[in-house]
Amino acid sequence: MFSAIAGILGFSVLSGLLVTVMVAPALAVTGITASSTIGIFDSLPEYIEIGQQPERNELWANYTGPGNVDGKYLIATIYDQNRQEVPYSEISTFALDATVDGEDARFFEHGGVDVASVIRAAVDNVVSSGVESGASTLSMQLVKNIFVQQALDQPTEELRQAAYDKATATSFDRKLSEMKLAIGLEKKYTKKEILTAYLNIANFGNATYGIQAAAQRYYSVDAKDLTLAQAASLIAIVQYPNQRNLGNPDNFSANQDRRDYILSAMLGVGDITKAQYDEAIAIPVDETTIVPSDPRNGCIAAEQYATWFCDYVVKSVKDFTFLGANEQEREANWKRGGYKLYTTLDLDVQIPVQNAVWTYAPNTETAFSLGSAVDTVQPGTGRVLVMAENMIFNDTLEGGGPTTSAVNYSTSYHYGGSSGIQPGSTYKVFTLLDWLMHGKGTEERVSGDPDSKAPYSKFTVCGEPSGSGTFSYKNNAGEKGIYTIRDGTVNSINGVFFSMAKQLDLCDIRDVAVSLGVERADGDPLAVVPSSIIGTNEVTPLSMASAYAGIAALGKWCKPIIVDTYYDPSTEETKVAQTPQCKQAVPQNIAATAIDVMKGVMTSGNQIYGNPEDGIPLFGKTGTTDSANQTWVASGTTSGGSVVWVGNSIGDYNILSTEYAGVSGIRLRHYISLALVTALNNKYGGTDWPAPDPALVTGGGLNVPDGLIGLSPESVKALLEGLGFSYADGGPIDSELPAGKVAATDPPAGANSAKGATITVFTSKGNKVAFPDVVLDGQTNDFTTAQGDLNTAGYTTVSQSCVVLQPTGGNPAVLPGDPRIDKVQSSTPAAGQYTLPNAPVTLAVGKIACP
């Protein structure tokens, strides 16, 4: 009869009539007529979109080891709601049948509203004088769940609560809306699509949504692999998720009761056999049958080697233009989820690096706040390959104890809470680059002397003197004297770099650093003071790694990027996420020349402990702050620009006094760097760079002029300063020249030195004399005679040595009557050599044989 009526009136009108019957008790009170109710019903929106429901986001890294999928490895899932949508084909038949048989037995027969159920509900409502029974079909439940989900997506708690209350209110308006929209769903979507959507949106308790997440959460299997008993237990949850979810043992009994009802329903309609029923009903719902998997949400639950990188990715969501046009849209899309981000992280390199960090900078240190960070950026692309830290990531309010932290040392304050770290001498590379960019050479010479009263006025800041007063600087090993730029860099002599900086503008040095991406962690501009050239700005390790990657790419700097491609759930396509954003920050010949200089750094001293010496060219620079509370090594190959920092996250403990895993404090960074460079080279290899620019080797310096020796110091000073050199009085030295005359210079005549370099001038004491000739013809003076002559000349320290005479005149041997026997044959010093008046003398006396 109902089908005939439906054919005449149309299902929508019939449903309106049935709704009128269902809500009859209310109509009696309100006086609304049946025709009015039908009018209200028809005025409601007809369609609702199923749409994408909030899902898990996934982060993937590059990896060739066990468990990789086409070279990718899942490192983290990030979500507001633990949901992973699956298609109909990937859901167990048991779960599909259990849903229909347990929740809506006539699902495949009705058009969204179950007529028989509506009539039954109407009778119940008449008895109760209210809406006690709603005759909800799966389609109607789906509508309700969509509204609930829309409520949860509201931007504020107040709006969320109001929308949720409306979506779940026990009211005629809600039932009318659900019925009309359920009918619309049935018109627009197939039964399979509706059933799949319902199972993907349903709440299974414990912030677990959808059948796939529920199967994984409670049984550690995929939805397609659910057994009959498991499927029935999961569907038993959906009516009352809080009371029947399997995360709480107190719920097991209620869940089993509902599960058994569902199993009986499935048996009753013939979806399972009696044998299947008996097997399933005999399985208890308890700890022996539940196989839970803790949800792995957030970076705290990420793959242990990738937690810090994960945190950086999540904090960068607001910057990902591929997620939306503005920050609000990006955050909303990320919250909705379903994205798979295929990141730049390379676990083949990351894993050995992270293990080395934990070995040589253990987070179990209790004497002080030991920190360590490692970052690698790929030259020419800016892809971040490595981001490691010694602390265990934990961003919970409770924290995880002294071995954990929520501060990402690699990044800036706004992306990880770090206040930055002084990079020490690794920052000197920017002075070297600026020196070369001004046409100055690596073989030019400057003073490396320390200075306890260096005038600020000798340094230029943006064209002006840097200030008044003085400051001091020293050298780590007490070095002093004149050095080439190359030697000063290899040996990291502070005095050399301050001498270089005096000939440059500190703003230019800063601009070189900025052009290569260096940034302070607090976001402020890099400070421009004389001491900044040796690394006093608190910078981020990641930005320093990107700078060295820029140098390794022959001056081509690329902004660091962290996502290569992404899966877009709205289009179900994998797309390019971030493309390299690069610029030529430093000319190629400048970078090549600086690289040539810094190659020498990695082949001497403690740096050799970080060099795998595998034939792949490597350059670098070390850095240690004055108090040795921070130690760095920055390095570059054609495959990666990297930094390793080991130091104090808080405080000033001397790192050089530590030792871990049998490695002294000064070498800890190098052992970590060794693991890094070895893994990087093994994965990517490397090639050499072009030779240095010959013009930048000699530079635009001047040769120290000839002809200075013997002149007055006043004349030499005027000549040197006229050429652009600085004059320094080296004091008197021993010399045969007239007292007060110039006896020597450092550097010597002909040496190439930078314009403005200091030439040290030494004057003569006039105290050297020509040594007398006491050898004569070798046949005249015996030792006693020669000694007497020397004593008379002022040489009182005279000793004798023996020399074997050689045959002469064709004789086979020296004859006993040879006139040279017992005569002086040579002297040290030699005749005519200038010596101090009382210099020690040795006279060699001829013998046929010496004892």
Side-chain angles (χ1 to χ4, degrees), residues 22 142 275 613 697 703 825 836:
M22 186 183 78
L142 176 57
E613 297 182 350
V697 174
N703 290 337
Q825 299 300 303
L836 294 175

Side-chain angles (χ1 to χ4, degrees), residues 670-804:
H670 299 300
Y671 273 69
I672 296 172
S673 185
L674 178 64
L676 166 62
V677 178
T678 299
L680 193 66
N681 290 351
N682 287 342
K683 178 74 177 283
Y684 295 97
T687 58
D688 205 351
W689 297 272
D693 186 339
L696 293 175
V697 174
T698 56
L702 300 172
N703 290 337
V704 177
D706 291 322
L708 302 181
I709 307 303
L711 299 179
S712 68
E714 293 78 15
S715 299
V716 170
K717 183 174 186 293
L719 177 60
L720 291 175
E721 289 181 345
L723 292 172
F725 292 114
S726 295
Y727 176 92
D729 183 359
I733 60 173
D734 296 329
S735 172
E736 70 281 7
L737 294 176
K741 298 296 183 181
V742 172
T745 63
D746 183 20
N752 184 269
S753 293
K755 187 175 181 180
T758 299
I759 309 300
T760 303
V761 176
F762 302 93
T763 54
S764 174
K765 292 181 180 179
N767 58 346
K768 284 190 174 182
V769 297
F771 189 75
D773 184 3
V774 293
V775 176
L776 302 177
D777 59 1
Q779 303 177 17
T780 303
N781 283 342
D782 57 18
F783 175 78
T784 302
T785 302
Q787 182 182 35
D789 292 342
L790 289 172
N791 290 159
T792 300
Y795 297 92
T796 58
T797 306
V798 182
S799 60
Q800 178 179 336
S801 65
C802 175
V803 61
V804 176

Side-chain angles (χ1 to χ4, degrees), residues 335-416:
K335 182 178 180 181
R336 187 171 300 112
Y339 291 93
K340 296 180 181 180
L341 305 190
Y342 298 100
T343 73
T344 60
L345 186 70
D346 191 331
L347 290 178
D348 291 327
V349 184
Q350 173 80 11
I351 290 173
V353 170
Q354 184 64 75
N355 284 331
V357 169
W358 284 331
T359 299
Y360 300 112
N363 51 45
T364 53
E365 174 61 71
T366 57
F368 68 104
S369 299
L370 175 63
S372 180
V374 181
D375 294 283
T376 296
V377 175
Q378 188 175 63
T381 67
R383 298 174 67 245
V384 178
L385 303 178
V386 172
M387 181 177 286
E389 180 171 324
N390 69 323
M391 305 302 288
I392 304 300
F393 177 77
N394 188 310
D395 60 351
T396 63
L397 292 176
E398 300 80 10
T403 63
T404 69
S405 175
V407 177
N408 189 337
Y409 301 140
S410 294
T411 62
S412 65
Y413 179 81
H414 293 295
Y415 289 86

Side-chain angles (χ1 to χ4, degrees), residues 611-627:
N611 188 343
E613 297 182 350
D614 53 8
I616 294 177
L618 174 70
F619 73 88
K621 188 73 190 72
T622 59
T624 304
T625 53
D626 284 348
S627 61

Side-chain angles (χ1 to χ4, degrees), residues 537-620:
N537 277 289
E538 288 82 9
V539 300
T540 67
L542 180 58
S543 71
M544 287 293 289
S546 81
Y548 274 75
I551 297 168
L554 290 175
K556 180 182 177 181
W557 177 78
C558 302
K559 182 179 180 180
I561 58 176
I562 51 180
V563 183
D564 287 325
T565 59
Y566 72 104
Y567 171 80
D568 186 343
S570 64
T571 63
E572 299 184 351
E573 296 176 326
T574 299
K575 305 174 182 178
V576 173
Q578 294 179 301
T579 56
Q581 301 178 45
C582 306
K583 65 178 181 178
Q584 195 67 39
V586 175
Q588 290 189 4
N589 64 323
I590 301 295
T593 304
I595 287 170
D596 183 69
V597 172
M598 291 191 290
K599 283 181 180 179
V601 173
M602 306 306 290
T603 58
S604 62
N606 285 298
Q607 292 78 260
I608 63 174
Y609 293 97
N611 188 343
E613 297 182 350
D614 53 8
I616 294 177
L618 174 70
F619 73 88

